Amino acid sequence: MGGRDGFGAVCPEPDEPLFHAVWEARALGITLAAGALGHWTLDESRHARESLPPAIYYNSSYYEIWIRALEELLTRHDLLSAEDLAKGEAQARTPHPRRLDPARVPAVLAKGGPTDRPLSSAPRFAPGERVRTRLQARAGHTRLPSYLAGRPGVIEADHGGHVFPDTNAHGGGEQPQRLYTVVFEGRDLWGEDAEPGSTVSADLWESYLERV
């Protein structure tokens, strides 16, 4: 839940399996295969998950959230109908021209989806510089966790230009911005109850940041 209160302690499982059930592996595979059809971006898919009704989002497991969001994306882009979902199977259709054949899966996964893009502008911040994250009030997708908003940190690294998710999730184009790793002291996030010496590192876009 990204640092939100009220969800209990984080309890890692010793020797935790990659998947807790067979259907979770299928959920991952179906989501990746559907994404390869090219109807939506990675950022739109993330926004579909975080836009689920709270009663679903907060009471569903990780891959349940993935499947619920995928249903929304498939119907939004007219790849499935409400009738298809109700029946549990798609009606006969012409195979999609970009369907992911099993033989192509290793190459497609190896290629990945790089988000780095060239920039002509100079960086506004440099490693070692103190910054503060902006208090964002706009609606829509963002990769700035709410518990980091308005908090001071230090620039650790400059990663160059990357796709800006806030616009790309809503069909506004990639509009690349510079991406930085910012390190936050635990006490600046959690107060005196923070574990002594703890830090949090986050990759944040340039428009999220301002000088202290």
Side-chain angles (χ1 to χ4, degrees):
M1 290 291 109
R4 289 181 177 272
D5 294 330
F7 291 94
V10 176
C11 301
E13 297 178 45
D15 302 317
E16 181 178 7
L18 186 60
F19 300 105
H20 290 80
V22 173
W23 73 265
E24 292 186 338
R26 290 178 61 82
L28 173 61
I30 292 169
T31 301
L32 293 176
L37 300 179
H39 287 265
W40 56 80
T41 65
L42 172 63
D43 300 304
E44 185 181 351
S45 68
R46 283 175 169 156
H47 185 53
R49 292 171 205 155
E50 67 187 22
S51 299
L52 293 170
I56 294 176
Y57 188 89
Y58 293 131
N59 294 287
S60 300
S61 68
Y62 185 75
Y63 284 110
E64 286 175 330
I65 290 173
W66 277 44
I67 287 296
R68 289 300 192 101
L70 181 59
E71 291 175 354
E72 166 61 27
L73 290 167
L74 290 170
T75 53
R76 179 188 304 170
H77 292 275
D78 198 30
L79 296 170
L80 281 181
S81 67
E83 182 181 5
D84 294 333
L85 291 176
K87 289 184 175 181
E89 61 181 41
Q91 306 303 303
R93 297 168 185 251
T94 302
H96 195 285
R98 291 189 58 175
R99 68 189 183 281
L100 190 58
D101 294 325
R104 294 178 51 224
V105 170
V108 170
L109 292 180
K111 181 180 178 181
T115 63
D116 54 309
R117 301 291 186 271
L119 288 178
S120 58
S121 58
R124 291 183 56 202
F125 309 106
E129 188 171 356
R130 289 189 59 80
V131 294
R132 184 182 301 275
T133 57
R134 297 179 184 274
L135 288 170
Q136 294 183 310
R138 65 173 178 268
H141 183 66
T142 181
R143 297 294 285 167
L144 175 61
S146 59
Y147 70 92
L148 294 182
R151 306 293 184 172
V154 176
I155 300 289
E156 182 177 67
D158 175 349
H159 300 290
H162 283 261
V163 174
F164 187 45
D166 300 43
T167 56
N168 202 41
H170 299 284
E174 295 186 344
Q175 300 189 33
Q177 289 189 15
R178 196 168 296 274
L179 182 69
Y180 302 90
T181 296
V182 184
V183 180
F184 301 85
E185 296 290 336
R187 64 178 179 272
D188 290 329
L189 303 180
W190 322 122
E192 296 302 320
D193 292 333
E195 180 181 345
S198 63
T199 60
V200 172
S201 297
D203 290 338
L204 302 175
W205 277 260
E206 196 165 71
S207 65
Y208 296 171
L209 306 172
E210 58 189 5
R211 288 186 171 82
V212 174

